[in-house]
Amino acid sequence: MIYVLTTVIIFIGEFFWKDHVERVIPESSSKKTLHNTIILTKHHNYGAALNTGEKRPKLIKWISVILTAAASVLFVCSFGMIGKRLMKYGLSLLLGGALSNTYDRLKRGYVVDYFRLNVPVKRIRNLIFNVSDFCILLGAALIVLGESETGVK
């Protein structure tokens, strides 16, 4: 099933990429790449999005586990739905990203973030992400859009 494969690819891809970042990129170093559009910057995020809750990592860890478990249940339940491809794909993206970031929190105690966008707006340029974050964001958007899909095969 393509949805399960998508989730697995995100998790495995991020597993190996984050490991590479941990081994190769020095903490807080910066290197511009892709025609100066992306800045590689290793950052250990002990909180959630935008370092929210970084002073309470155990709470963030448990919230992450609970939300990932809930997303897993929704993902499995979606298999029985006719149609709803957009929603199912959104769930697979969201779950792949959530599993990766939750794994980091449980295994490392922090999430490995590693790139910034080189844009003129300083507030956006200073945000550090990982691919899992984008998968979660895109997945959530697709889930919302997919809710209006009809049950047509």
Side-chain angles (χ1 to χ4, degrees):
M1 180 173 263
I2 188 71
Y3 308 113
V4 173
L5 185 60
T6 299
T7 300
V8 169
I9 287 171
I10 292 166
F11 179 79
I12 291 174
E14 277 283 87
F15 177 85
F16 286 110
W17 182 249
K18 288 176 179 180
D19 184 61
H20 174 77
V21 167
E22 285 288 85
R23 286 184 291 105
V24 175
I25 299 177
E27 180 73 24
S28 299
S29 70
S30 293
K31 178 183 176 186
K32 292 181 180 174
T33 187
L34 288 177
H35 306 288
N36 292 330
T37 57
I38 292 179
I39 304 169
L40 294 177
T41 304
K42 180 168 79 174
H43 174 73
H44 294 162
N45 183 349
Y46 290 89
L50 304 174
N51 286 326
T52 304
E54 67 182 332
K55 303 258 192 263
R56 302 194 63 194
K58 284 185 180 180
L59 176 64
I60 295 300
K61 186 183 297 186
W62 281 108
I63 290 171
S64 182
V65 167
I66 290 166
L67 291 176
T68 301
S72 299
V73 170
L74 290 173
F75 182 61
V76 170
C77 288
S78 75
F79 296 161
M81 296 179 185
I82 296 171
K84 300 282 188 180
R85 287 183 224 138
L86 201 55
M87 187 181 78
K88 291 175 186 177
Y89 192 62
L91 281 165
S92 67
L93 290 171
L94 186 142
L95 185 58
L99 286 169
S100 175
N101 284 346
T102 299
Y103 175 84
D104 271 7
R105 286 187 181 95
L106 294 173
K107 182 74 173 173
R108 304 175 202 268
Y110 53 84
V111 173
V112 178
D113 291 329
Y114 49 82
F115 73 90
R116 299 183 288 137
L117 302 175
N118 193 17
V119 295
V121 181
K122 186 177 180 180
R123 287 179 66 149
I124 294 173
R125 189 175 59 247
N126 287 338
L127 298 175
I128 305 173
F129 304 96
N130 59 43
V131 169
S132 293
D133 296 334
F134 279 102
C135 290
I136 292 167
L137 184 63
L138 179 59
L142 291 177
I143 291 166
V144 170
L145 292 172
E147 271 298 305
S148 63
E149 278 183 301
T150 59
V152 178
K153 286 188 178 181

